[in-house]
């Protein structure tokens, strides 16, 4: 990925936009889909999708333009799976030719930084979800844990499965969950977490660069020593502070991102392992209106971006222009604007 240095003209454009009150960019919603690089698509379509109640939406060969954008000299195929009745929160599986590459996050500690740690899915029956996943070899650092998070009481479980992918499985306890008519077993994906070393810089990228707003801000250790969903040693749970920001273009928990930083616990840094074709949760894809202005803004703030790729086919969406931005912690974000059917 190419690191662009802010130029005089980039800076001038941002100043003009600010002085005129013009909108420099607009991310028009939460992430539309998650891209997972897998060594075996059938483990997702033949195992995960059936017990999650998901379906295969589409499959085919990855267009060469995407391979060029990703900087990968291999052929690949894609398969899109999703929760029936929904129009977002999909998973796009990408399987490359040749021997499987390394994992993005090869180890399972929740305090290891770099890349995407997990994505969230709601369930109606935590025990049934736990049994189904464990029977297929998924494992977590703890049993499901009930806790309060902001105004909500939830049960949460963090199992890790094929390709090193971790899911935050969540069952709402209180208040009653509303607005999820298509939730049968597992819901659409609706949030994704990044464990970061520098949460101030991460907030700057998402807030100043992409214009995201806060849905929840929470900073505290556990209230009591004992089991916790992140697998922190029980006796240290009340000492290790977790700093959390959930952000979204419209301050919603729908295709949102969650930044997590630890105070008092450190681990490995996998931020340099997030390029394709490494396996795991590889990308989040966000829709944009005003892609060129967004590119100017993000690069003007000093974050790494690729050149804008023109007129690439994105199944289920249309023809898009797209660029890749690297968020603090190495997470790759694909920002696309629809330019044709």
């Amino acid at each position: 990925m190419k690191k662009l240095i802010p130029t005089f003209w980039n800076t001038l454009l941002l100043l003009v936009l600010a002085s005129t009150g013009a909108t420099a960019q607009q991310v028009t919603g939460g992430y539309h889909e998650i891209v997972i690089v897998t060594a075996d698509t059938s483990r997702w379509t033949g195992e995960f999708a059936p017990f999650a109640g998901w379906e295969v939406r589409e499959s085919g060969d990855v267009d060469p333009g995407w391979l060029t954008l990703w900087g990968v000299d291999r052929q690949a195929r894609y398969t899109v799976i999703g929760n029936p009745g929904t129009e977002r929160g999909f998973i796009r599986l990408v399987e490359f030719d040749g021997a499987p590459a390394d994992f993005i996050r090869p180890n399972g500690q929740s305090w290891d930084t770099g890349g995407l740690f997990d994505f969230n899915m709601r369930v109606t029956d935590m025990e049934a979800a736990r049994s189904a996943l464990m029977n297929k070899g998924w494992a977590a650092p703890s049993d499901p844990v009930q806790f309060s998070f902001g105004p909500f009481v939830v049960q949460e479980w963090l199992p890790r499965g094929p390709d090193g992918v971790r899911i935050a499985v969540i069952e709402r306890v209180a208040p009653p969950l509303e607005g999820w008519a298509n939730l049968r077993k597992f819901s659409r994906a609706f949030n994704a977490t990044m464990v970061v070393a520098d949460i101030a810089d991460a907030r700057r990228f998402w807030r100043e660069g992409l214009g995201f707003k806060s849905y929840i801000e929470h900073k505290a250790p556990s209230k009591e020593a004992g089991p916790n969903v992140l697998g922190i040693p029980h006796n240290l749970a009340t000492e290790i502070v977790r700093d959390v920001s959930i952000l979204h273009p419209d301050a919603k928990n729908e295709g949102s991102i969650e930044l997590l930083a630890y105070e008092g616990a450190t681990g490995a840094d996998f931020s340099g392992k997030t390029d394709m074709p490494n396996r795991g949760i590889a990308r989040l894809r966000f829709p944009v209106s005003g892609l060129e202005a967004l590119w100017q803004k993000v690069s003007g703030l000093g974050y790494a971006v690729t050149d804008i790729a023109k007129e690439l086919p994105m199944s289920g969406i249309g023809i898009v222009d797209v660029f890749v931005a690297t968020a603090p912690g190495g997470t790759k974000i694909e920002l696309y604007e629809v330019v044709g059917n």
Side-chain angles (χ1 to χ4, degrees), residues 264-312:
T266 59
D269 176 14
F270 300 125
S271 59
K273 298 177 69 67
T274 59
D275 285 336
M276 298 279 202
N278 283 354
R279 281 182 285 167
I281 311 173
R283 311 277 158 120
L284 299 175
R285 286 182 167 175
F286 290 89
V288 170
S289 176
L291 191 71
E292 177 68 28
L294 176 60
W295 185 94
Q296 295 281 0
K297 187 173 185 180
V298 174
S299 63
L301 288 171
Y303 297 107
V305 300
T306 64
D307 292 333
I308 295 175
K310 299 288 188 177
E311 298 185 353
L312 300 185

Side-chain angles (χ1 to χ4, degrees), residues 161-282:
D163 307 301
V165 171
R166 189 180 299 279
I167 297 175
V169 180
I170 299 173
E171 182 178 357
R172 173 74 68 81
V173 177
L177 186 64
E178 297 179 351
W180 291 76
N182 296 303
L183 174 53
R184 301 290 188 270
K185 295 181 180 179
F186 284 63
S187 75
R188 62 184 178 268
F190 70 92
N191 186 63
T193 303
M194 286 156 262
V195 182
V196 296
D198 186 344
I199 198 167
D201 190 33
R203 286 174 176 139
R204 178 175 180 262
F205 172 87
W206 290 98
R207 290 174 176 166
E208 296 183 32
L210 300 187
F212 280 38
K213 304 175 183 67
S214 292
Y215 172 73
I216 283 179
E217 301 288 332
H218 182 82
K219 184 176 181 180
S222 297
K223 294 178 181 178
E224 299 177 352
N228 57 89
V229 71
L230 293 167
I232 297 170
H234 295 188
N235 62 314
L236 299 179
T238 58
E239 300 177 24
I240 297 173
V241 174
R242 280 86 82 191
D243 191 353
V244 177
S245 291
I246 297 180
L247 304 167
H248 180 276
D250 300 308
K252 297 178 180 178
N253 195 202
E254 180 59 76
S256 52
I257 63 95
E258 181 173 343
L259 306 175
L260 169 61
Y262 288 81
E263 295 181 5
T266 59
D269 176 14
F270 300 125
S271 59
K273 298 177 69 67
T274 59
D275 285 336
M276 298 279 202
N278 283 354
R279 281 182 285 167
I281 311 173

